[in-house]
Amino acid sequence: MSDTIEDILNRQKEPKDHEVDEDNDFEDEAKRLTKEMEIAINEVKESEFYAGVRKQIRTCEELEHRFSRMLGGSHSHIQIVVYALGSMEFSFASQNQMAIIICIAREFPNWFQPEIQVYDPAFSPADRIVLKNLGCNVLSFNEQCSRIVERPTLFYMPYAFNWLISNVLAANWCPSRINQVVILTNAMKSRTDGSKHSLTFARDYCYYLERMQYLGAIDEYIKPVEIEEAFGIDFNAFAWNFFEIKPDINMYDQLLPVEPSQKKRLELFEEFVKKKTSDYLHDKRCGEMFFMRMFEDNPSCKKNRLKEDSKSCYYWPYRMTGDLRHPRKFRCKTGTPHPEGWIKMNFSAGELSHGFLFGFGVVIYNDKKEIMKKMSGYLNGGDEIKANLKALKSALKWLKSSFCSTASSQVNKLIIEGENLRVIRWINSNGVAPKRYKKILEEVLILMKNFRCVVYHIYEEANSSAMRAYIPTAAQQP
């Protein structure tokens, strides 16, 4: 009897030796990452985007009809499975995307089973701890996005590669299964463009091309319910993608090309799953290497740089790393690498008097790592977030008045670091913040346009100089 997808996947469950990361404190990182996820979840819940998603799930008749059709009379809830999320330890985008599905599952227990099943080979030990703390079931082995459904299942796959989407389709390539599937992802209909009738089988047939045949074949049977709102670049052009195929259709014989044969497809699949996949240690080392080298004057990166006369506030490394999370050793020890030719600004703020008085401090270093300016002040009323934003605004105004009115290029490229994650997230999302902070945040972003900036979050211990700068303010104020 020939192998099935289940047989191939079951062979992958055998335990394998994993390389150990000896220079990481997983428990400590998990505690910090859990706090970041709590912030991300609250940010999502407060956003206009999520208000729109909530309204859609509650009031959209088509969505209600399709959920009800999936459940039929045999099931009470839709299972949620998350694939291809990426590591939350290395990506703020992954944090936001996970926060979105957690909010949906928690708020709509009438539709969805509360426990979310999740897997990505890039998960770090800290990721796994955090996900378990959030009530998720972290799968123990790589299903290769090929789960065969036995009940209504939502596959949440934000910005997944086409071949991963196709693995879900291929594993459920019959009407009784595919009609129980909904895929929440971005632009699935557009993924099928150019894939129909464009691929033929040959001796050097590629697994990835074979997968595209499933996307092309399913195109006319996709019934999307689009989500009109967007959450920055982390959740854009998404839709609930349902499938509607009559039970008498033989999907292998009637929808797929004759070649390759079903047997050959399984051989290609097994050959693929035997290959080594990326893991968190690989991503960690690549991230550390990239952060060390990203400021180098690399000629190969010139095409990605902004023009000299550009007024954009973001230098090219930001465009590549704005959603990436610092490797741990930069966040809790040394801070961002400080290369020649870059000014570095550390800012901080904290409560001085029982929710009434807030102090802020800023330390600015020249490109020789010498202190060129210390600033401190206070905010009477408001909150810690506004005090952090005031610190940024004051420092940027000083830099602008001191250097930007002259021909000097001393202040051109600027590294900004702080420990208030919400402020850093808002800046890197170009102003996505609650209304009460929008005015001062917009003022900060306008001032940043005078410089080439990268903006990063670091832990308190790496930001001690800025934190110390505002402490004397307490004695100066009544």
Side-chain angles (χ1 to χ4, degrees):
M1 190 174 187
S2 60
D3 280 345
T4 65
I5 289 178
E6 297 105 309
D7 297 327
I8 295 170
L9 290 175
N10 282 333
R11 286 198 285 272
Q12 305 306 308
K13 292 182 180 180
E14 298 174 4
K16 298 178 176 61
D17 294 330
H18 293 285
E19 189 176 358
V20 177
D21 184 5
E22 297 179 351
D23 63 349
N24 206 350
D25 186 338
F26 304 133
E27 295 290 342
D28 178 71
E29 191 67 14
K31 289 177 182 177
R32 299 177 193 256
L33 191 55
T34 297
K35 292 180 180 178
E36 292 183 24
M37 279 303 301
E38 291 169 354
I39 290 173
I41 289 169
N42 288 330
E43 292 277 301
V44 167
K45 288 171 66 175
E46 294 177 10
S47 67
E48 294 179 8
F49 156 78
Y50 187 68
V53 172
R54 181 192 292 118
K55 181 179 179 181
Q56 183 191 48
I57 297 176
R58 286 177 176 172
T59 64
C60 177
E61 292 182 0
E62 183 179 3
L63 196 59
E64 180 181 5
H65 165 72
R66 294 201 174 277
F67 283 157
S68 299
R69 177 178 169 275
M70 286 178 67
L71 291 171
S74 306
H75 302 279
S76 58
H77 295 88
I78 298 170
Q79 172 70 63
I80 298 177
V81 178
V82 179
Y83 289 142
L85 179 73
S87 171
M88 299 179 299
E89 182 176 345
F90 302 133
S91 171
F92 289 120
S94 296
Q95 291 183 18
N96 288 337
Q97 289 157 0
M98 191 65 209
I100 288 165
I101 199 65
I102 287 173
C103 287
I104 290 173
R106 288 177 178 177
E107 188 159 353
F108 297 97
N110 56 318
W111 288 122
F112 303 107
Q113 186 172 321
E115 183 187 75
I116 298 172
Q117 299 188 11
V118 58
Y119 184 85
D120 194 300
F123 284 161
S124 70
D127 286 322
R128 292 175 174 274
I129 294 170
V130 171
L131 287 165
K132 290 176 182 177
N133 290 342
L134 292 170
C136 299
N137 177 7
V138 183
L139 302 178
S140 59
F141 83 106
N142 191 348
E143 296 181 337
Q144 303 290 345
C145 300
S146 296
R147 173 176 298 198
I148 298 174
V149 303
E150 303 294 341
R151 54 172 298 171
T153 304
L154 165 64
F155 291 97
Y156 178 56
M157 304 175 69
Y159 297 99
F161 291 122
N162 287 341
W163 59 270
L164 293 176
I165 300 285
S166 294
N167 279 4
V168 172
L169 300 176
N172 297 285
W173 201 248
C174 66
S176 62
R177 290 190 178 128
I178 203 71
N179 288 339
Q180 292 192 81
V181 168
V182 54
I183 302 177
L184 180 55
T185 190
N186 64 304
M188 185 166 173
K189 285 287 285 185
S190 65
R191 294 170 184 262
T192 64
D193 292 347
S195 63
K196 290 183 291 185
H197 314 301
S198 63
L199 304 172
T200 56
F201 181 67
R203 283 181 301 174
D204 59 350
Y205 195 86
C206 173
Y207 174 78
Y208 301 99
L209 296 181
E210 182 265 340
R211 296 286 96 175
M212 288 299 293
Q213 291 184 340
Y214 291 93
L215 273 173
I218 203 72
D219 180 42
E220 64 183 277
Y221 300 97
I222 302 174
K223 306 297 178 184
V225 179
E226 295 180 355
I227 298 174
E228 295 182 0
E229 294 78 8
F231 190 72
I233 62 173
D234 300 333
F235 200 94
N236 191 21
F238 271 60
W240 311 86
N241 295 280
F242 299 88
F243 305 92
E244 195 172 296
I245 298 183
K246 293 180 179 179
D248 59 346
I249 291 180
N250 185 319
M251 295 179 66
Y252 275 105
D253 294 343
Q254 295 176 243
L255 300 186
L256 288 176
V258 175
E259 295 289 354
S261 66
Q262 188 172 352
K263 180 181 177 181
K264 181 62 178 179
R265 291 179 189 276
L266 287 170
E267 290 174 359
L268 288 168
F269 179 70
E270 181 161 27
E271 181 181 341
F272 171 78
V273 299
K274 287 179 180 178
K275 296 179 180 177
K276 179 176 175 60
T277 58
S278 175
D279 58 25
Y280 88 94
L281 270 179
H282 171 80
D283 292 342
K284 173 178 178 286
R285 288 166 181 159
C286 287
E288 290 175 356
M289 181 176 65
F290 177 76
F291 272 89
M292 289 298 294
R293 298 183 60 185
M294 70 180 183
F295 299 103
E296 293 178 3
D297 189 17
N298 186 347
S300 67
C301 297
K302 286 184 177 179
K303 64 181 180 180
N304 294 320
R305 297 188 179 188
L306 304 178
K307 295 179 179 179
E308 290 301 320
D309 59 352
S310 171
K311 293 297 182 183
S312 171
C313 61
Y314 296 122
Y315 188 63
W316 72 268
Y318 164 77
R319 290 174 174 247
M320 300 175 72
T321 65
D323 281 327
L324 300 184
R325 188 174 179 270
H326 258 49
R328 175 181 168 85
K329 71 177 184 181
F330 298 136
R331 294 164 67 85
C332 67
K333 295 180 182 178
T334 62
T336 307
H338 186 174
E340 185 177 350
W342 286 77
I343 304 299
K344 191 173 185 180
M345 175 202 301
N346 287 72
F347 73 98
S348 183
E351 184 181 49
L352 299 178
S353 177
H354 304 295
F356 174 75
L357 194 66
F358 295 85
F360 65 82
V362 181
V363 179
I364 302 174
Y365 303 87
N366 63 20
D367 65 347
K368 296 179 176 58
K369 304 182 183 180
E370 302 166 337
I371 294 176
M372 59 190 295
K373 181 68 175 179
K374 282 188 176 182
M375 304 176 66
S376 64
Y378 73 98
L379 180 67
N380 198 342
D383 55 34
E384 185 176 320
I385 290 176
K386 283 190 177 179
N388 272 279
L389 289 167
K390 186 173 180 180
L392 269 174
K393 179 181 174 182
S394 301
L396 289 166
K397 286 179 71 174
W398 179 82
L399 283 171
K400 179 183 176 183
S401 63
S402 300
F403 297 99
C404 294
S405 59
T406 70
S408 171
S409 60
Q410 184 178 0
V411 178
N412 181 27
K413 294 173 286 189
L414 177 63
I415 300 167
I416 300 175
E417 292 182 333
E419 85 272 8
N420 191 292
L421 181 60
R422 298 187 78 183
V423 171
I424 302 298
R425 288 168 71 100
W426 297 340
I427 291 173
N428 283 336
S429 63
N430 202 28
V432 178
K435 290 182 180 179
R436 61 186 178 277
Y437 302 114
K438 274 191 175 293
K439 184 176 184 297
I440 187 169
L441 180 61
E442 287 172 359
E443 292 170 348
V444 168
L445 292 173
I446 290 171
L447 286 166
M448 285 175 61
K449 290 183 179 180
N450 294 285
F451 315 99
R452 305 272 180 86
C453 297
V454 290
V455 186
Y456 295 119
H457 173 249
I458 55 177
Y459 295 145
E460 289 183 358
E461 55 265 41
N463 203 32
S464 57
S465 61
M467 294 176 70
R468 288 195 300 267
Y470 71 75
I471 293 175
T473 308
Q476 300 168 10
Q477 304 305 323

